[in-house]
Amino acid sequence: MTKSHANIDILDADYIIVGGGSAGSVLASRLSEDAATKVVLIEAGGEARSFIAQIPAGYSHLVGNKKFDWLYDSDPDPTIDNRVQYWSGGRMLGGSSSINGQVYIRGTPADYDHWRDTGAPGWGYEDVLPYLKRLENWVGTPGPARGNNGPISSAPMREAHPLTQTFLSACRELGLPTIADYNSGQMDGAFLTQVSQRNGWRCSAEKGYLRPARNRPNLKVLTHSYVNRIEVENGRATSVIATRQGQQIKIKARREIILSAGTFGSPSILLRSGIGPATAMKDAGITPVHALSGVGRNFQEHPSAGLHKFVNVPTLGNAMEPLNAIGHALKFMFKRTGALTAPIAQAMGLARTREGLVEPDIQLHFVALSFDIQPDGRLFIPKAPALNITATICHPHSRGEITLKPDGNLRIHHRFYDDPRDMETLIGSMKFVERLFNTEAFSRIVVGPRIPDRVHNEDADWERYIRATTGIAYHPVGTCKMGTGDDAVVDPELKVIGLSGLRVVDASIMPRVISVNTNATAMMIAEKAVDMIRKG
């Protein structure tokens, strides 16, 4: 139902979902399965039907492109030479699942057990495994830990680059075994990447979950709709105020409002609604409504550093040359194989930088090309054949924070190396990657260093290099932490603590970032939340 009052369009629904990204698409699809339930999904971005968003390799044209990417910028970080980081986020339905590199990977069992053991009962590996299985349609070798009837198609790569075998051989030389199916629960080793693709095309949350549900009369999807705030009356979240095409709209919730705007959007909306620590709202002149000290805090990201080497064999970079590109385009068009189906990293691994660690502390990402990241986030790929191995810290200790600027927009603070343990881990990771490149497997093809242009021997040199080149994995989490402590924002049922009628369901609720890429886990969180929401 739509009414107009004082130039404000007023709608109502049983459930209002704020954010149509990876988690929001899952929620909208699942909750609208009940024909008696009216669902409104509000998305600040647009549709996800662009052809380039369907081609797997299209991420190289999507990430860093303001038409498709929010490109959230941060305050300068003094721990990385005052550089500004830009976090990508899908500016369309499906969110980051519509622009990412399509790496399909779950967290390790220990990741989820850590959540359970530190204040989130019901979120251990055995608790979440049914939901990880529910969301996927795995088309590889069946296994008891894999799902085969879910909306998200996951698959082995259709055509792995030959150099992935060189990477796996090098890892075996250093004691990392090759794992056939890392999503079956064993990730301590190296492996070929599995992808969120269907028949060679990207399979985003928008395509897998939301698109099939769009014809349901009880689901209304509002794109290009910016949520200003949530209204709270007598301790209950009652409605959402948004702007759409210059017109203010108000949507009233009969049951619940569910924030799924992501690690940046969800805390920003809470703060603009007066929910959070007063200090975080002060600059924007927001009147506090509900004190909740954890909102916007506990911000975590996987910092990364990589080594690039020139090689004497063809790499994926050669596929970008005009004549080769035409051939790969034809191969994709007629066979759905080749370079255009490649995920951003074709092989990965989990490793330890030193002995005695209970679990791996770095994730390795093998990319069969080399690139430079431009200040705006775009990639420049050199013509000379080269490749890289990038390492990310599985569980960084440094934390950031989300607050508001005077205009009410989000402000990102992060100091990546406030905790010296993180620098120590990345220095160790660079030494590990250098050892990989010195194995017999790689020594046959590596002809020299590209980035950095020489091999470092001293920790101080590695530290300078890391501070100057540190990147991010685009895995932001944690700003609406799930738990039971003073810093928690939502309880283990994802209800905002101290308020009724309001939940947060997205990657922002992760108490600790998982060891690996976060997209599959974000969708799992939404699948699990659906059962909780249905129970009330």
Side-chain angles (χ1 to χ4, degrees):
M1 179 175 65
T2 302
K3 298 178 180 179
S4 183
H5 179 69
N7 296 320
I8 299 177
D9 285 340
I10 301 176
L11 299 84
D12 58 31
D14 294 298
Y15 297 109
I16 303 171
I17 302 164
V18 178
S22 298
S25 294
V26 175
L27 293 168
S29 174
R30 293 299 193 196
L31 292 176
S32 65
E33 288 173 345
D34 180 357
T37 299
K38 183 176 180 182
V39 179
V40 171
L41 174 66
I42 311 173
E43 165 59 34
E47 295 288 344
R49 302 298 181 100
S50 170
F51 182 70
I52 197 67
Q54 314 309 316
I55 299 173
Y59 58 79
S60 62
H61 299 282
L62 298 168
V63 174
N65 185 333
K66 291 184 178 181
K67 180 179 178 181
F68 304 107
D69 186 346
W70 288 111
L71 283 174
Y72 302 106
D73 64 319
S74 65
D75 287 349
D77 180 351
T79 73
I80 57 170
D81 299 341
N82 283 313
R83 289 185 294 118
V84 171
Q85 296 284 8
Y86 289 84
W87 272 269
S88 285
R91 195 170 187 151
M92 63 184 82
L93 292 169
S96 294
S97 73
S98 291
I99 70 169
N100 67 9
Q102 297 133 86
V103 171
Y104 186 80
I105 187 169
R106 303 167 174 176
T108 69
D111 287 335
Y112 304 117
D113 288 347
H114 183 273
W115 293 2
R116 178 199 62 202
D117 297 340
T118 55
W123 287 87
Y125 178 65
E126 293 301 325
D127 301 307
V128 305
L129 181 58
Y131 299 100
L132 289 165
K133 294 170 65 175
R134 181 187 293 181
L135 71 89
E136 75 170 356
N137 181 20
W138 166 240
V139 300
T141 303
R146 304 309 300 262
N148 58 12
N149 198 35
I152 298 298
S153 295
S154 58
M157 286 180 293
R158 296 173 78 84
E159 186 176 329
H161 194 279
L163 286 175
T164 58
Q165 292 303 320
T166 305
F167 170 77
L168 294 179
S169 295
C171 287
R172 287 194 295 271
E173 289 187 51
L174 294 190
L176 292 181
T178 298
I179 298 172
D181 182 5
Y182 57 85
N183 279 319
S184 288
Q186 170 55 266
M187 293 187 186
D188 208 336
F191 32 83
L192 294 180
T193 300
Q194 296 170 14
V195 293
S196 49
Q197 294 177 11
R198 179 184 298 163
N199 298 324
W201 297 94
R202 176 191 293 274
C203 186
S204 65
E206 182 275 334
K207 179 180 287 184
Y209 278 97
L210 188 60
R211 197 176 299 183
R214 293 286 291 272
N215 61 353
R216 294 173 185 164
N218 63 322
L219 172 61
K220 187 175 185 64
V221 178
L222 303 175
T223 57
H224 301 292
S225 301
Y226 179 82
V227 171
N228 301 306
R229 67 185 188 279
I230 295 166
E231 292 189 326
V232 177
E233 299 177 10
N234 300 319
R236 181 177 183 83
T238 59
S239 56
V240 169
I241 305 297
T243 301
R244 186 171 191 248
Q245 298 175 344
Q247 176 68 39
Q248 191 173 87
I249 59 175
K250 179 175 182 175
I251 311 172
K252 297 180 178 180
R254 288 188 287 270
R255 297 187 187 178
E256 290 191 22
I257 297 169
I258 307 161
L259 271 181
S260 295
T263 295
F264 301 130
S266 289
S268 299
I269 293 169
L270 288 175
L271 291 171
R272 290 200 298 269
S273 306
I275 302 167
T279 53
M281 298 179 266
K282 182 179 179 181
D283 287 347
I286 304 294
T287 301
V289 171
H290 177 65
L292 204 54
S293 64
V295 173
R297 296 173 178 171
N298 192 48
F299 173 37
Q300 299 161 62
E301 171 62 272
H302 290 139
S304 67
L307 301 185
H308 299 241
K309 303 288 186 179
F310 288 113
V311 294
N312 58 13
V313 293
T315 67
L316 270 177
N318 300 107
M320 309 302 173
E321 296 173 0
L323 290 177
N324 288 337
I326 293 171
H328 286 296
L330 292 172
K331 197 172 185 179
F332 177 79
M333 184 182 301
F334 291 107
K335 295 183 178 180
R336 299 289 183 269
T337 59
L340 294 184
T341 66
I344 190 158
Q346 291 201 19
M348 301 183 296
L350 290 182
R352 293 167 172 80
T353 58
R354 61 186 187 276
E355 295 182 0
L357 294 175
V358 175
E359 58 182 323
D361 61 341
I362 59 170
Q363 181 184 5
L364 302 169
H365 311 255
F366 174 73
V367 184
L369 56 77
S370 182
F371 54 84
D372 299 319
I373 301 179
Q374 305 301 302
D376 63 359
R378 292 177 181 265
L379 300 183
F380 168 75
I381 299 172
K383 291 183 178 181
L387 49 76
N388 87 85
I389 299 175
T390 293
T392 54
I393 301 176
C394 291
H395 299 299
H397 296 280
S398 301
R399 295 290 185 268
E401 182 180 7
I402 304 301
T403 58
L404 295 178
K405 297 177 181 177
D407 62 2
N409 287 318
L410 73 92
R411 185 173 195 172
I412 301 173
H413 310 261
H414 204 307
R415 295 167 63 97
F416 276 100
Y417 301 112
D418 257 358
D419 192 306
R421 290 174 291 181
D422 294 332
M423 178 57 70
E424 179 185 357
T425 298
L426 267 189
I427 290 173
S429 76
M430 292 297 91
K431 294 177 179 179
F432 187 95
V433 173
E434 198 66 76
R435 291 200 300 273
L436 273 176
F437 278 126
N438 286 325
T439 58
E440 182 179 350
F442 271 119
S443 64
R444 300 189 189 104
I445 63 170
V446 171
V447 296
R450 179 174 182 263
I451 305 173
D453 59 6
R454 63 186 178 87
V455 175
H456 294 310
N457 295 312
E458 302 296 330
D459 285 3
D461 292 331
W462 280 122
E463 180 173 339
R464 282 190 290 270
Y465 172 70
I466 290 167
R467 292 191 191 278
T469 64
T470 285
I472 52 179
Y474 306 118
H475 303 154
V477 308
T479 53
C480 294
K481 178 182 177 181
M482 169 177 59
T484 54
D486 292 340
D487 59 346
V489 176
V490 298
D491 65 20
E493 291 189 340
L494 309 186
K495 296 178 179 178
V496 173
I497 294 169
L499 294 174
S500 60
L502 182 61
R503 296 187 208 235
V504 180
V505 180
D506 55 34
S508 73
I509 65 93
M510 295 188 198
R512 185 179 74 159
V513 66
I514 60 172
S515 302
V516 295
N517 310 55
T518 54
N519 191 244
T521 294
M523 290 186 284
M524 174 277 289
I525 289 168
E527 280 281 14
K528 185 169 169 59
V530 167
D531 281 355
M532 296 174 174
I533 293 166
R534 285 172 175 165
K535 291 177 183 177

